[in-house]
Amino acid sequence: MMSTYSLALHGGAGTITRASLTEEKEKAYTAALLAALTLGESVLKKGGTAMDAVTQTIISLEDCPLFNAGKGAVFTADGLHEMDAAIMRGENLEAGAVAGVQLIKNPILLAKEIMEHSDHVLLSGRGAEEFAKQQKLIFETEEYFFDEYRFQQLREAIHEGKIVLDHTETTENKKFGTVGAVAKDVHGNLAAGTSTGGMTNKKFNRIGDSPIIGSGTYANNATCAISCTGHGEYFIRAVVAYDVSCLMEYKGLSLQAACEVVVMDKLVKLGGEGGLIAVDAAGNISLVFN
Ligand code: ASP
């Protein structure tokens, strides 16, 4: 008997207040999320893998300027874009991740290449870009990544002397941010992926939680697949994604209960804002944000 499939995606945590979300904007976001979801679902419907569904879903969001990943990545303090991404296969715990790469059209594809065609899990900066060239991945120009709205966000962040999450309540206009997807396919395999431009006005090659396996991204067929979004520093310290998996594995908690302990209790106590999307081996989906 063929089992069912599950797919969940996010376009970042955060508050888009009703006042700042015009009808037109809301329609654009909904359409972009729906397009990504439809693409991912078409893979699963045909019996494709969770890994491919996650990849296709994230590529679609990376190519959309509305989200803080790929084309819409936020600006660093230097006026550049440094992107992080990770992908993980629940079947055998294979993982690939990339941190601080510039001008790569689809960082999630680079993470997948690292997983499938290198001896490593996490590559960063120049070296990662060198590897991307070898693997013939597509590079774009600075113009491709330029977005007037994002540049305005950087100006404001510099003016306020802050390093800000894409969705922090400091600017008049707010947008969703980081993107991610989790899936279970009809073969019973799980996968998770996350892609981001990180935080506006970031310096010193700051790296967030998204490319850190076990923090922002994790997948294990025995427990769950997770993609996080929020203030990365806290997600790294709380080892969020793996902690959810551990609560299921060692304490026998359900997916929803495990997510709530980590996001609504542990993270809140640390002061970490954000949340996650998750799917378990039975195909249950949890969407928990604090
Ligand atoms: N978690 C990401 C980071 O800290 C940002 C986000 O989720 O929007 O890099």
Side-chain angles (χ1 to χ4, degrees), residues 121-150:
V121 170
L122 174 59
L123 298 182
S124 72
R126 287 279 157 72
E129 288 154 19
E130 200 53 46
F131 180 72
K133 275 180 203 147
Q134 261 182 38
Q135 299 307 116
K136 308 221 172 343
L137 290 191
I138 300 172
F139 280 70
E140 286 291 349
T141 58
E142 274 298 341
E143 290 77 68
Y144 173 82
F145 292 96
F146 184 85
D147 181 88
E148 185 51 47
Y149 169 81
R150 293 288 186 213

Side-chain angles (χ1 to χ4, degrees), residues 68 165 167 178 196 198-199 206 208-210 229-232:
N68 174 18
L165 277 181
H167 34 67
T178 294
T196 186
M199 292 173 82
R206 179 263 185 192
D209 61 309
S210 311
T229 173
H231 197 153

